[in-house]
Amino acid sequence: MMRIILLGLPGAGKGTQAQFLMDRFKIPQISTGDMLRAEIKSGTALGIEAKKFMDAGNLVPDHLVTAMTKHRIIQRDCVNGFIIDGFPRTIAQAEALRIAAIDIDFVVEIEVADDEILRRMSGRRVHPGSGRSYHLQFNPPRVAGRDDLTGEPLIQRVDDNEETVKRRIDNYHSLTKPLVNYYLGWTASGDKHAPRYVNVYGRGTVEHIRDKIIAALVQRH
């Protein structure tokens, strides 16, 4: 059983590493956004209730997201575990998972400096037709501002402009970063249900980071 929560700033590489962990341990990635869309599409009671909040432009309450998570992890593909990315984002949400008796084996934090995140995300450019992604520094297009295959203009997504990235970084530090101390404190309490905390520095090749995460998980499991 390998039940994992991934923590880290936006742009830290959680999505990329989640794909590696899925392949290595044969477990699914659980996205709160995907769960919400699936429940709404299926017309479940949870989905109908969540849609009311979303249609009103409000955040879906913690208890609903927790209920969806609990419903999702009893599905057959989660028999060997799962990876949760994007939830919990706050201590209140972490407490909701704990109260719901959703056991977690590992909390993996991919740690990257703020200035590195800013450089990574503000340099991204996307081809809107295909979703192909480039980076001004790390993966530039052959012709500046143009998609390699079609020659069409690339765009910078609103989420990737510098001011938006700075706000997302600030939100992470104020709301989500305290989860690190929350989980460390829980582990130190000796509670048998407490997850083990793994910190990995997210600078270097994605393969190097992958190997560090997997080695830590296998060693401590």
Side-chain angles (χ1 to χ4, degrees), residues 13 39 44 48 74 97 126 129 151 189:
E39 295 282 349
T44 65
I48 292 169
I74 63 173
L97 284 182
V126 176
S189 74

Side-chain angles (χ1 to χ4, degrees), residues 3 5 7 94-95 98 103-109 178-199 220:
R3 298 165 294 196
I5 286 174
L7 294 179
E95 284 285 357
R98 191 171 175 176
D103 286 339
I104 303 296
D105 298 305
F106 290 98
V107 173
V108 178
E109 181 191 17
L179 285 171
V180 171
N181 287 332
Y182 171 85
Y183 282 117
L184 285 172
W186 187 9
T187 299
S189 74
D191 185 344
K192 66 178 182 179
H193 294 290
R196 282 148 285 185
Y197 169 73
V198 172
N199 174 276
R220 300 188 191 184

Side-chain angles (χ1 to χ4, degrees), residues 35-36 70 130:
M35 280 194 301
L36 286 167
K70 194 165 187 176
S130 67

Side-chain angles (χ1 to χ4, degrees), residues 16-17 20 120 201-212:
T16 298
Q17 295 304 323
F20 287 135
R120 287 182 187 183
Y201 185 53
R203 190 87 182 265
T205 67
V206 294
E207 292 81 10
H208 178 61
I209 298 164
R210 172 201 64 194
D211 292 344
K212 287 194 294 184

Side-chain angles (χ1 to χ4, degrees), residues 32 35-36 39-40 44 46-48 50 60 63-73:
T32 51
M35 280 194 301
L36 286 167
E39 295 282 349
I40 291 169
T44 65
L46 286 172
I48 292 169
V60 178
H63 75 275
L64 278 180
V65 180
T66 303
M68 289 181 184
T69 303
K70 194 165 187 176
H71 180 257
R72 176 67 181 87
I73 66 174

Side-chain angles (χ1 to χ4, degrees), residues 4 13 40 43 47 54 64 69 86 88 93 107 118 122 128 146 157 165-166 174 179 183-184 193 196-197 218:
I4 301 168
I40 291 169
M54 295 170 71
L64 278 180
T69 303
Q93 291 175 352
V107 173
L118 190 60
S122 61
R146 297 283 173 174
R157 297 184 308 184
V165 174
K166 286 180 179 178
S174 63
L179 285 171
Y183 282 117
L184 285 172
H193 294 290
R196 282 148 285 185
Y197 169 73
V218 171

